[in-house]
Amino acid sequence: MDYQRFFEDAVDELRRERRYRTFAEIERDAARFPHAVWHRPEGARDIVIWCSNDYLGMGCHDDVVEAMCATARQAGAGAGGTRNISGNSHAVVELERELADLHGKEAGLVFTSGYISNQTGISTLARLIPDCLVLSDALNHNSMIEGVRQAGRDKQIFRHNDLAHLEELLKAAGGRPKLVVFESVYSMDGDVAPIGAICDLAERYGAMTYLDEVHAVGMYGARGGGIAERDGVMHRVDVIEGTLGKAFGVVGGYITGRASVIDAVRSYAPGFIFTTALPPAVAAAAAASVRHLKASGAERARQHAQVAKVKRALEAAGLPQLATSTHIVPVMVGDATACKAASDLLLEEHGIYIQPINYPTVPRGTERLRITPGPFHDDALVAQLARALVDVWSRLGLPFESRAEAAE
């Protein structure tokens, strides 16, 4: 039996479907972020990263780096095991307190990644609720979809941000227990959920709410609590999930909520119980980042300003950006081969790193470049980006928007 052939065929299928992914070898430069070094066969080259999820550059912040280094020198590099056996470090406990405070909740629970916090959190919650019906937004992240699937409960998918459809499903469910799972900022289209209105429906029909704020924590609200904080509805959401790997610039995920809910997940979730804990140094760095962004709005203000400048520059150039009210700037291509070619040209000719976004991350025909401007993308870099995109669009024969379309 040629087992190797099975795997070769699987990869060949991805190539035929134009979904095979390649990765550039990138070395971030903490002193010059968003500048980095691209290690290519021809030699190293300086580039600028325009697609990082380290939205505020906190992964390079002096306080965050020093917290990690100081804690590693004191406590070592690793966690020592699962928290149930040997890894319940003081640094992780302190981080959970910071996160609970950030979201105005009684308790928090930290996981090794945002993917695991969703997958494990949703599946455990739904399993612990007898006869639970899970109602999930159609554009929820794969981690949420997997959490719903692994719960093994009945599920229904409501059309994206469609309140009428959600109400129809809630009403039809009657008095059975219900869990509504949705995101605040949807990372590919950059649109925002009507959190308050979803909470209205959940309260009216006796449902519990679970909100993924991974692309919003640190970014929105007076203290970086996310869209729910910005909109004044944080207290109405039962469980808020977030990540430490995007705006907070480190790694890890978490959920926050009532103490009884968090304790139940802690006690029953395999993805928590059987996984090595975050190292104390990582937890300390994350806590430093959370504390800083609770107190400082400077990074958010600067980032929002640069996002607006990028959007204006792309609009002026007639580039086909998808209009969003958030920090995510999708530039639409609509073809997998052209999207990869645009990404390659930007990197090779202009030293600009923007990964192509293709199926299955987005539907076929909606392939795009996803730009995430940060506070350290200065005006000169914004102008350089716009010029480079115009050059690439022209060379590849990609369509520009007319001025009338851009103004609509």
Side-chain angles (χ1 to χ4, degrees):
M1 182 85 55
D2 185 2
Y3 287 100
Q4 181 175 329
R5 191 65 203 167
F6 297 144
F7 306 108
E8 292 171 350
D9 288 346
V11 172
D12 287 344
E13 179 65 20
L14 291 179
R15 289 195 174 97
R16 282 193 296 273
E17 295 179 0
R18 300 179 298 177
R19 292 197 292 128
Y20 182 73
R21 299 176 186 232
T22 59
F23 301 114
E25 185 179 342
I26 303 297
E27 182 180 3
R28 294 213 308 177
D29 187 339
R32 300 189 308 130
F33 185 78
H35 291 268
V37 175
W38 173 29
H39 292 278
R40 53 183 182 157
E42 300 84 358
R45 177 181 177 180
D46 188 77
I47 62 170
V48 178
I49 299 174
W50 275 98
C51 57
S52 175
N53 281 346
D54 186 356
Y55 293 134
L56 301 177
M58 291 301 294
C60 302
H61 193 281
D62 288 345
D63 291 350
V64 176
V65 174
E66 178 53 32
M68 178 175 283
C69 293
T71 305
R73 285 191 292 268
Q74 177 184 341
T82 68
R83 291 176 68 179
N84 288 277
I85 296 174
S86 58
N88 194 42
S89 69
H90 175 68
V92 172
V93 174
E94 286 293 303
L95 172 59
E96 288 173 342
R97 290 171 181 158
E98 290 286 351
L99 294 167
D101 174 76
L102 175 67
H103 294 293
K105 302 301 183 186
E106 294 176 354
L109 190 67
V110 168
F111 296 82
T112 51
S113 74
Y115 194 102
I116 297 298
S117 57
N118 265 336
Q119 182 186 53
T120 297
I122 292 170
S123 62
T124 304
L125 288 168
R127 284 199 306 269
L128 291 175
I129 301 172
D131 193 34
C132 182
L133 172 66
V134 183
L135 299 109
S136 179
D137 188 284
L139 293 189
N140 277 343
H141 188 265
N142 177 264
S143 59
M144 304 178 79
I145 294 169
E146 281 300 301
V148 173
R149 185 184 67 81
Q150 291 180 18
R153 296 297 193 185
D154 293 341
K155 70 175 185 297
Q156 291 184 319
I157 310 301
F158 61 93
R159 292 185 292 271
H160 177 54
N161 280 348
D162 189 329
L163 295 171
H165 190 212
L166 175 59
E167 181 168 21
E168 176 186 326
L169 296 176
L170 285 167
K171 188 174 182 179
R176 70 185 295 188
K178 298 170 282 289
L179 176 66
V180 181
V181 297
F182 61 107
E183 301 182 43
S184 60
V185 174
Y186 287 84
S187 64
M188 289 299 115
D189 290 346
D191 58 338
V192 175
I195 301 173
I198 290 175
C199 288
D200 289 341
L201 292 176
E203 291 164 7
R204 185 178 309 156
Y205 293 100
M208 187 175 178
T209 49
Y210 179 105
L211 173 64
D212 173 319
E213 286 261 39
V214 297
H215 291 279
V217 289
M219 304 285 293
Y220 301 94
R223 299 198 309 155
I227 297 292
E229 183 190 25
R230 185 199 70 179
D231 293 353
V233 294
M234 197 161 56
H235 63 288
R236 300 180 63 193
V237 180
D238 292 303
V239 177
I240 295 178
E241 185 267 350
T243 183
L244 304 168
K246 292 184 171 60
F248 293 129
V250 192
V251 68
Y254 64 88
I255 59 172
T256 62
R258 290 188 178 274
S260 59
V261 173
I262 301 304
D263 192 31
V265 175
R266 181 191 68 84
S267 301
Y268 280 90
F272 172 81
I273 294 170
F274 298 105
T275 300
T276 297
L278 283 185
V282 172
S289 184
V290 173
R291 281 193 294 269
H292 178 86
L293 290 175
K294 283 180 183 177
S296 172
E299 292 81 6
R300 287 187 285 276
R302 172 70 175 170
Q303 195 251 9
H304 293 166
Q306 296 312 104
V307 168
K309 290 177 181 178
V310 168
K311 290 178 177 180
R312 288 196 297 268
L314 300 190
E315 181 179 0
L319 290 156
Q321 62 177 309
L322 184 65
T324 78
S325 62
T326 62
H327 59 284
I328 293 166
V329 185
V331 181
M332 306 305 291
V333 179
D335 175 82
T337 301
C339 196
K340 178 65 165 60
S343 175
D344 289 345
L345 269 178
L346 284 168
L347 184 59
E348 294 163 3
E349 300 293 331
H350 297 279
I352 289 175
Y353 179 66
I354 308 174
Q355 278 289 81
I357 306 295
N358 295 332
Y359 178 84
T361 305
V362 296
R364 287 186 175 91
T366 69
E367 292 83 2
R368 67 199 66 183
L369 300 178
R370 176 181 176 272
I371 300 170
T372 54
F376 301 109
H377 289 104
D378 61 26
D379 293 357
L381 291 180
V382 173
Q384 178 195 34
L385 172 68
R387 289 193 301 269
L389 285 168
V390 168
D391 176 66
V392 167
W393 248 245
S394 299
R395 290 170 65 174
L396 294 177
L398 297 174
F400 288 82
E401 289 184 336
S402 69
R403 291 192 178 275
E405 289 173 332
E408 288 177 358

